[in-house]
Amino acid sequence: MSTDSQSSTQTTWDKRFAFFDAHGAPKNPAFREALKKLEFFDRAKIMMSFWAVMFGPFYLLYLGLWKKAISYYAAFFLLVFVLSVLGIPEVIFKGMGTVSAMFAGMFTNYAYYLKKVKNQDGWNPFEGLF
């Protein structure tokens, strides 16, 4: 990896971490107000991890968020199992995969911030989001 792409990645994480430091957790009203003032792509970079959407549990493991990966995907597979026993149509299962990937993308950035900056590495993937 070149130093330009390394510094670009580090800058992205630094911007995310600085935003979380300044405005708190995503569930805080001050956070939401500050987020509204950003441009679309800046909002997306703070609120969504596109790598987590694309690679799911593998990216979480890469970041060291294995507890959150286990709890999130175990709950997801349990939900899928229960719905399959109930006879839910297959089209819903296809949509659930997309929804699952989007939720993983939504919680990854703040979860990584909690791990790296606040030294909090719990099992709740939605900590601070809702």
Side-chain angles (χ1 to χ4, degrees):
M1 188 186 300
S2 71
T3 48
D4 287 339
S5 60
Q6 285 177 346
S7 64
S8 172
T9 301
Q10 189 59 40
T11 302
T12 301
W13 282 114
D14 287 341
K15 287 178 183 177
R16 289 173 180 152
F17 291 172
F19 192 86
F20 293 136
D21 276 337
H23 306 291
K27 70 178 180 181
N28 294 337
F31 179 93
R32 285 185 247 138
E33 286 301 317
L35 196 64
K36 288 178 186 177
K37 295 176 184 174
L38 297 176
E39 293 182 20
F40 175 77
F41 288 110
D42 291 333
R43 264 194 318 263
K45 285 180 185 177
I46 289 177
M47 286 305 299
M48 183 70 66
S49 170
F50 296 103
W51 291 107
V53 171
M54 297 303 294
F55 298 107
F58 302 109
Y59 186 64
L60 294 172
L61 293 173
Y62 171 76
L63 293 177
L65 298 171
W66 62 271
K67 290 178 185 177
K68 290 183 183 353
I70 289 171
S71 62
Y72 179 69
Y73 287 101
F76 174 72
F77 288 125
L78 179 64
L79 177 64
V80 168
F81 175 75
V82 169
L83 292 177
S84 69
V85 169
L86 294 175
I88 301 298
E90 184 179 334
V91 70
I92 292 179
F93 288 109
K94 291 178 181 177
M96 285 180 61
T98 303
V99 170
S100 170
M102 297 305 288
F103 271 120
M106 286 173 53
F107 75 74
T108 299
N109 290 343
Y110 190 69
Y112 190 58
Y113 164 79
L114 290 176
K115 180 179 173 69
K116 286 303 209 182
V117 177
K118 301 290 185 178
N119 294 319
Q120 297 176 7
D121 190 21
W123 291 87
N124 181 3
F126 299 115
E127 185 176 355
L129 293 182
F130 304 109

